[in-house]
Amino acid sequence: MEVTILGAVTIIASIYAFFKNEKLLLYIMVFLSTFTAANILHITVTTTPVQTFEFTGALWLLRVFIDFIKTKPKINKEFFKGVIDKFKENKLATAFVIFMVTIILGEIYIAVSGISVNYTDINGESAVLEFSRTNITRVVITIFIFINMIVLSFKIKTREEIKTLLKVFSISTMFAIVWGLLQFITYYFGVPYPAFLFNNNMYAAQCYDQIDNNVKRITSIALEPSTFAINLICFIPFVLGTFLTLKEKIKEKRYIITFIILVMATACAILTTSSTTYVGIVAIYGMYGIYILFGFIKNGELSYRLRNFLKMAVVTIVSIGIAACLCIVSLKIGYKLQTIEYIPVKQQVEEDDDKETETKYVSAFENMIITLKQMTIDKLGSGSGQERINGESIGMQMFKYSPIFGLGFGSYRTFSLFTNVLLNAGILGILALFYILYVVIKPLIKYRKKEEAISVMFLISIIGVTIAFFVGVPDLELTYYWMLLIFGYKYATIKD
């Protein structure tokens, strides 16, 4: 068994919090939820990694269970009736249970039916889809996560708790943003990236070394740019919403800090050069723009249409400008220090009726433009785009073998959450997922009449990040997404 540096710190802090304060343990769990590329430890005998959330989440569940036992509950008919009543009241917890059931049904179906499908994977190699140990591993991890989320949905009692937990998540994300920008800049100075700190899960595909056209792709403490995008898209709507509601003068400290954080987050998102990020960013700013035009409450917190449009325009222009300048300057530094090499382009030129070959080099500005085109308008024609299309196509071809219950998580991984749930949990699973979203979004829309700004922040964050998931991230294990759903639902449904 090998323990990482982050693992040692996490274990010590979590054990201390376990005995000292259950809320502190919860804060650690929320803070570490963004560290998706990190291991706490891995068991070399079974090649099993233990991630940050899994360890701290397990301790938190144990602490909650011990506290519950200390109350000496009487396990009788009235007890079970009380549990049922609580689930009826907490519709999100019920929705999570329904989703868990659909996942389990998919696993049972593929195990019992004995389905075996021969197919050619995205690498052109022959493969077989059938029930395996991976199915068991995936369902255990997924159920563990949702049990955590169900318990969390019952533990939160006040809106102040939600605001505190959002602050913890925000601090974690701001650390990720700073770390990501340092990752980008230091690459061009030839500073080796310390992957052993936060990108140390050797059993996952770590993509912190990805570079396109000499443009470094930011992954920060996530596995790849697209998963880091999910973190940023969860976070940005809250900063943007806060910025739009500020009435302080431009010179005020709070105004300046909020503006800087928003610009840093947006610029960092642009520098991920991830198509998932760009879709999410356009969705976030687009939804805020539409709301400012048509959805605001008269004399409400977001009713100042012209001022808010100007604010959004300034943030957009400044963020794009800073991202572009940072990219071009960093590339030029890299060329100057020879940490990167110019990309040659051979062109034919005509001189005195003779054709000769002349070698030209791509400039820093051209590097940036080519990369942006590859990740936006040329995405579907790129190697990454073709790989995604091929992967989705292969998955959907297997959908016919079990359209109702799915083929079980761990059987085949597509490239988006929608198709991944549809294929692996079937029609029942995707309906259960949409029901979760419905349960969260409906009360937030209703609560908007009481607290417009925070309700809109939650709505745009949840919808925006769900769109990003449906575009390019298939994983259920990004726990801060499910936490965000809980925070939004509880904020709108807690009784005053």
Side-chain angles (χ1 to χ4, degrees):
M1 183 174 68
E2 296 182 11
V3 181
T4 64
I5 295 174
L6 177 63
V9 173
T10 301
I11 290 170
I12 293 170
S14 298
I15 292 175
Y16 170 80
F18 178 83
F19 291 104
K20 185 71 175 179
N21 190 322
E22 177 262 324
K23 282 191 176 180
L24 177 59
L25 189 57
L26 175 59
Y27 298 156
I28 295 173
M29 183 177 77
V30 173
F31 182 85
L32 292 175
S33 66
T34 61
F35 288 72
T36 55
N39 266 354
I40 285 182
L41 56 89
H42 60 269
I43 304 167
T44 52
V45 176
T46 60
T47 63
T48 303
V50 179
Q51 294 182 285
T52 53
F53 175 83
E54 293 169 354
F55 179 83
T56 312
L59 277 186
W60 181 72
L61 275 181
L62 180 59
R63 174 60 192 266
V64 171
F65 178 72
I66 291 172
D67 289 345
F68 173 71
I69 294 299
K70 286 181 178 178
T71 63
K72 298 179 180 179
K74 293 182 179 180
I75 311 299
N76 51 28
K77 185 178 179 180
E78 291 300 317
F79 171 81
F80 288 108
K81 185 179 181 300
V83 170
I84 293 171
D85 289 341
K86 286 184 178 180
F87 270 94
K88 286 180 179 179
E89 183 180 348
N90 188 341
K91 292 181 180 180
L92 182 56
T94 304
F96 282 150
V97 170
I98 294 170
F99 190 54
M100 287 169 55
V101 170
T102 64
I103 290 172
I104 294 169
L105 286 175
E107 302 295 339
I108 292 173
Y109 182 80
I110 190 173
V112 173
S113 65
I115 288 176
S116 180
V117 182
N118 295 309
Y119 68 97
T120 302
D121 65 19
I122 57 176
N123 298 316
E125 299 178 359
S126 298
V128 180
L129 186 152
E130 59 186 0
F131 185 76
S132 66
R133 188 174 65 179
T134 305
N135 292 92
I136 299 173
T137 302
R138 298 321 310 165
V139 76
V140 168
I141 292 173
T142 304
I143 289 175
F144 166 74
I145 288 171
F146 279 100
I147 289 174
N148 252 282
M149 296 300 100
I150 290 168
V151 175
L152 179 60
S153 71
F154 281 111
K155 287 292 293 181
I156 294 174
K157 302 295 184 183
T158 67
R159 293 189 178 91
E160 287 304 314
E161 287 181 277
I162 295 170
K163 290 179 181 178
T164 302
L165 292 171
L166 274 175
K167 286 178 183 177
V168 174
F169 168 73
S170 298
I171 292 169
S172 178
T173 303
M174 284 187 279
F175 170 81
I177 291 167
V178 172
W179 186 258
L181 291 173
L182 288 174
Q183 180 188 54
F184 183 87
I185 295 168
T186 55
Y187 170 77
Y188 295 100
F189 283 91
V191 179
Y193 180 65
F196 64 91
L197 289 175
F198 309 121
N199 305 75
N200 51 35
N201 185 350
M202 65 178 64
Y203 303 106
Q206 297 279 358
C207 298
Y208 58 82
D209 57 351
Q210 282 190 347
I211 304 153
D212 283 325
N213 305 301
N214 279 339
V215 177
K216 182 78 179 75
R217 304 191 70 193
I218 294 178
T219 62
S220 189
I221 57 178
L223 284 170
E224 56 183 325
S226 58
T227 51
F228 183 40
I230 298 298
N231 189 356
L232 294 173
I233 295 164
C234 282
F235 173 70
I236 289 174
F238 291 98
V239 191
L240 179 55
T242 301
F243 182 64
L244 295 178
T245 58
L246 289 179
K247 296 179 181 178
E248 289 89 344
K249 294 181 179 178
I250 295 176
K251 294 182 180 180
E252 292 291 327
K253 184 178 179 181
R254 188 184 177 198
Y255 193 100
I256 294 170
I257 291 173
T258 307
F259 178 76
I260 290 172
I261 292 172
L262 180 56
V263 168
M264 284 179 62
T266 307
C268 188
I270 294 169
L271 291 173
T272 62
T273 63
S274 165
S275 54
T276 302
T277 314
Y278 297 153
V279 170
I281 289 294
V282 170
I284 289 168
Y285 279 84
M287 282 187 284
Y288 264 113
I290 292 170
Y291 186 84
I292 289 169
L293 276 175
F294 307 109
F296 67 89
I297 296 174
K298 189 176 181 180
N299 298 322
E301 296 170 287
L302 294 169
S303 62
Y304 301 96
R305 185 183 300 175
L306 178 60
R307 185 190 70 182
N308 287 335
F309 256 110
L310 289 174
K311 281 185 172 183
M312 285 180 59
V314 169
V315 169
T316 302
I317 293 169
V318 172
S319 299
I320 293 172
I322 288 177
C325 290
L326 192 59
C327 184
I328 294 171
V329 171
S330 297
L331 279 162
K332 288 186 175 181
I333 290 172
Y335 289 135
K336 187 73 173 179
L337 298 177
Q338 297 184 341
T339 54
I340 55 174
E341 297 180 358
Y342 282 100
I343 300 174
V345 178
K346 292 183 178 180
Q347 292 184 340
Q348 286 190 337
V349 295
E350 293 185 5
E351 290 187 8
D352 300 328
D353 298 326
D354 293 328
K355 290 185 178 180
E356 297 183 3
T357 301
E358 179 183 7
T359 301
K360 295 184 68 177
Y361 296 95
V362 178
S363 68
F365 179 75
E366 289 173 320
N367 287 141
M368 182 184 70
I369 296 301
I370 292 170
T371 302
L372 285 174
K373 286 179 65 179
Q374 284 181 350
M375 296 301 166
T376 52
I377 59 176
D378 294 337
K379 177 63 177 179
L380 295 180
S382 67
S384 172
Q386 290 299 309
E387 182 181 64
R388 287 173 178 267
I389 292 172
N390 188 29
E392 296 289 298
S393 176
I394 293 170
M396 289 302 98
Q397 288 173 17
M398 292 185 284
F399 175 68
K400 61 185 177 183
Y401 291 99
S402 180
I404 304 300
F405 300 108
L407 295 167
F409 279 91
S411 296
Y412 183 85
R413 183 176 181 269
T414 65
F415 287 88
S416 80
L417 185 65
F418 177 83
T419 54
N420 204 37
V421 172
L422 182 62
L423 176 63
N424 294 310
I427 294 172
L428 293 178
I430 201 66
L431 289 176
L433 178 60
F434 281 125
Y435 179 64
I436 289 172
L437 294 172
Y438 169 78
V439 165
V440 174
I441 291 172
K442 183 181 177 182
L444 277 170
I445 292 174
K446 185 178 179 181
Y447 191 73
R448 182 177 67 95
K449 296 178 181 179
K450 291 186 177 180
E451 290 189 59
E452 181 186 21
I454 187 69
S455 298
V456 171
M457 290 178 208
F458 271 119
L459 283 167
I460 291 180
S461 178
I462 290 166
I463 295 171
V465 78
T466 301
I467 291 171
F469 263 118
F470 283 7
V471 168
V473 177
D475 304 309
L476 292 171
E477 290 84 1
L478 300 181
T479 52
Y480 50 81
Y481 171 67
W482 306 110
M483 289 179 185
L484 179 65
L485 296 179
I486 293 168
F487 298 160
Y489 172 77
K490 295 294 288 188
Y491 200 94
T493 57
I494 288 173
K495 294 179 181 179
D496 297 320

